[in-house]
Amino acid sequence: VGLRGELGSGKTLLVKGIAAGLEVADPAAVVSPTFAILNIYAGTVPLYHFDAYRLTGADAFGELGVEEYLEGKGVCVVEWSDKVATALPPDRLEIAFTHLAPQSRRLEFSPRDSRYNAAVAAAAGR
């Protein structure tokens, strides 16, 4: 799952929600891995939480050995995915965050393959 949006737009808050859904022991402890680049949380499946904010691009992201996480059995969430998009698998869900007001955001879901199309359609009640 790729997350795009300004600082403070809610990307990490969504990851806390994903962590809760994956039954991570303490979803409130989920923090943005801006300086660590990756935080790993144990849940029903592992949650791999990346932050590409400080990276210089897709090559720097790929040099971290991310393939083992992206192709593994866990859930990968990448904040600032637009900075490393060419290093991400083509079959993914992208979510763009836009500030509307201090306590209001718009999330735009862009599924990149049929299973994500189906999931987004089901969530939208279609």
Side-chain angles (χ1 to χ4, degrees):
V1 178
L3 307 180
R4 301 184 319 263
E6 302 171 345
L7 285 169
S9 61
K11 297 180 296 295
T12 302
L13 185 61
L14 178 64
V15 178
K16 288 177 187 266
I18 293 169
L22 294 175
E23 299 177 11
V24 167
D26 186 7
V30 170
V31 294
S32 183
T34 302
F35 294 100
I37 310 296
L38 168 64
N39 289 338
I40 300 172
Y41 302 98
T44 53
V45 296
L47 172 59
Y48 305 115
H49 181 198
F50 292 92
D51 188 319
Y53 182 75
R54 294 174 30 105
L55 296 177
T56 57
D59 289 341
F61 187 65
E63 289 170 5
L64 297 173
V66 298
E67 299 83 22
E68 72 178 273
Y69 300 104
L70 297 173
E71 296 171 5
K73 299 293 183 191
V75 174
C76 291
V77 181
V78 181
E79 294 192 37
W80 303 96
S81 63
D82 48 323
K83 295 185 72 159
V84 297
T86 58
L88 297 175
D91 57 332
R92 66 182 186 272
L93 175 62
E94 287 283 335
I95 305 172
F97 293 70
T98 305
H99 278 104
L100 298 178
Q103 298 297 315
S104 180
R105 307 291 188 269
R106 179 181 66 218
L107 276 62
E108 181 180 338
F109 294 79
S110 299
R112 303 288 171 107
D113 81 357
S114 60
R115 73 181 159 150
Y116 295 116
N117 282 328
V120 170
R126 294 187 240 146

